[in-house]
Each structure stands twice: as C-alpha cells, then as structure tokens.
Amino acid sequence: SSDLSSGINAEWPLRPGFLNERVKVAGKTGNLGSNVIITKENNSVALTTDIPFSKRYLKYLTKKYLKRQNLRDWLRVVANSKNSFELRYFQVDNQEEDEE
C-alpha cells in the first residue's frame, strides 16, 4: 500500500492534539494506531496515512478547530496544493466604509 500525506500550514501554533483526539479510523475516534501518523513541524501539521483518507475530512476537522478557538471569523481554510491546506486571513475591504 502506498503512503498518502496531507498537511495544514498555519501562521500560529495549530495544536495537533486536537486532530489526534478527533480523527476517526474505522468509525472510532482516536483509533489512529499505525495507520495514521500526525506530526508537527514549525508552522505546519502533517498527516501521513497508509489507508484512504479524505482531504475534505481534514478540512472539516480544521474548520471545527478554528470554530472552537473562535478564529473562524478571521481565518479560512484554502487548498494551496493537491495534498495540503493553508490558513489565510479574510481580506477585509475598507473601501465600502470610505464611500459612506
């Protein structure tokens, strides 16, 4: 079986423990075993797996983490490559306020 990997790049410390607690394998939460490995390097969290793992599920868990940390209003999850996500700040347009 081939290894699949996904990642999340963040500008602030993303707690990989949240993913350890929330990722479901075979329908059970926290059942990572040797199938799923979550590591943290500088400003990114890497997830390596030898079983099929949905990129959308990783995005869902990341959004859930942001919501719990009350950061969902300022950050969004954007795919920056085929296998990874990036957390970006929303673009705030001040032009609307200037016109009024």
Side-chain angles (χ1 to χ4, degrees):
S1 68
S2 62
D3 282 349
L4 304 170
S5 66
S6 296
I8 306 167
N9 294 329
E11 293 180 7
W12 85 96
L14 182 64
R15 194 171 66 89
F18 181 82
L19 292 176
N20 285 335
E21 298 163 5
R22 298 287 190 278
V23 171
K24 285 186 179 181
V25 176
K28 295 183 181 178
T29 305
N31 183 26
L32 299 181
S34 61
N35 295 327
V36 179
I37 300 166
I38 299 173
T39 57
K40 182 175 182 348
E41 300 169 4
N42 296 333
N43 290 338
S44 65
V45 175
L47 185 135
T48 307
T49 178
D50 57 357
I51 58 174
F53 194 86
S54 170
K55 183 179 170 187
R56 181 175 288 276
Y57 182 55
L58 183 60
K59 184 175 182 177
Y60 163 76
L61 290 173
T62 305
K63 286 179 168 183
K64 193 170 188 173
Y65 176 79
L66 292 175
K67 185 70 174 173
R68 291 234 169 137
Q69 302 297 320
N70 294 322
L71 297 169
R72 191 77 179 95
D73 295 335
W74 294 283
L75 293 166
R76 63 188 183 136
V77 183
V78 179
N80 61 350
S81 73
K82 185 180 177 190
N83 293 354
S84 67
F85 288 108
E86 181 176 78
L87 300 178
R88 291 188 187 161
Y89 288 99
F90 281 112
Q91 295 293 326
V92 178
D93 240 351
N94 291 333
Q95 293 177 352
E96 295 174 8
E97 295 174 7
D98 294 341
E99 292 174 1
E100 293 179 3

